[in-house]
Amino acid sequence: MLRRIGVIWVMAQVLLLSRSEEVNAQNNQQYAFTYENLDQQDWVKLVDSRSVFTIAPEVGRVFWYFRGSGILASQDLEKHIVVLDTLDTEIFRQINIDYLPKEHALLFWDAGIGRVFQYDLDSGIIERLDNSYSFNAFFDHGEFVDTDTKTIYTLGGYGEFTSKDILMYFSLDEGEWIDITYFGDRPNPKFLGDLEYDEQNNLFYY
């Protein structure tokens, strides 16, 4: 719950900063943001491109991955933007990301589910965590990540011309994705949404 409150707070700050940047641009004033390893025009082009991001309230940052260019960047509450790395887009094209606070690392996994990687933010070293392959079958799935165990829970998604209602999790110990059997009313597989976990009642909400 505390992490969720932190995420909401950081997101509010980022939206306010983005709005401030927009207002400054409209007034022909200089952007208040500072940039490292890129300039203002580069950043404007990047945020206009396909991207995924994760919010890390523990360190007050947003981490962005831009799928077309492979650029990995961070933005903090001091409005400082820095390019951290440029990744191989042949390997890291359609991916999702989350922040691992204990390791100060990013967790990458295929948007269609399959491969899983850990990117160390201090060293830039990438470690592959799975023994799997790119399924290309569960795009736009709902997900919840247990950052303590690096367990990724997913529900639904679309691929291979089919909408899914499958509940799965990634097991770090086995390096594989495992189906979770569930009973009762199944969600409409054409509904795309988020997967949230209620720790107190041990329930998932979709």
Side-chain angles (χ1 to χ4, degrees), residues 35-191:
Y35 305 89
E36 187 175 331
N37 304 335
L38 80 168
D39 60 29
Q40 172 188 316
Q41 290 184 340
D42 291 334
W43 179 248
V44 171
K45 289 177 183 177
L46 279 176
V47 296
D48 240 2
S49 64
R50 293 177 302 129
S51 64
V52 289
F53 68 91
T54 184
I55 300 173
E58 298 86 354
V59 292
R61 289 187 184 181
V62 179
F63 295 98
W64 300 78
Y65 179 67
F66 298 94
R67 291 171 168 171
S69 62
I71 288 177
L72 182 66
S74 74
Q75 175 182 338
D76 64 24
L77 294 180
E78 300 301 319
K79 299 182 283 187
H80 182 66
I81 297 167
V82 56
V83 171
L84 303 173
D85 207 341
T86 302
L87 306 183
D88 185 344
T89 56
E90 291 300 313
I91 300 173
F92 303 100
R93 179 168 293 276
Q94 299 189 73
I95 60 169
N96 293 342
I97 65 174
D98 206 339
Y99 177 68
L100 301 172
K102 287 198 305 185
E103 292 85 357
H104 188 51
L106 295 175
L107 189 66
F108 296 158
W109 70 96
D110 284 323
I113 297 185
R115 301 170 306 154
V116 181
F117 302 85
Q118 179 173 313
Y119 178 93
D120 188 289
L121 286 162
D122 291 322
S123 66
I125 293 175
I126 300 173
E127 177 186 3
R128 186 160 177 176
L129 304 180
D130 70 285
N131 301 313
S132 190
Y133 61 95
S134 297
F135 297 170
N136 291 318
F138 299 90
F139 293 99
D140 294 316
H141 57 266
E143 75 262 358
F144 172 81
V145 178
D146 183 336
T147 57
D148 290 331
T149 63
K150 304 175 192 175
T151 304
I152 308 168
Y153 296 91
T154 69
L155 179 62
Y158 179 85
E160 300 174 333
F161 308 103
T162 307
S163 296
K164 315 294 194 306
D165 59 3
I166 300 171
L167 180 64
M168 294 189 295
Y169 73 97
F170 171 72
S171 168
L172 182 63
D173 291 337
E174 299 186 34
E176 299 286 353
W177 293 85
I178 300 171
D179 287 359
I180 300 174
T181 302
Y182 66 99
F183 305 94
D185 295 332
R186 303 181 78 88
N188 186 332
K190 294 184 178 180
F191 174 75

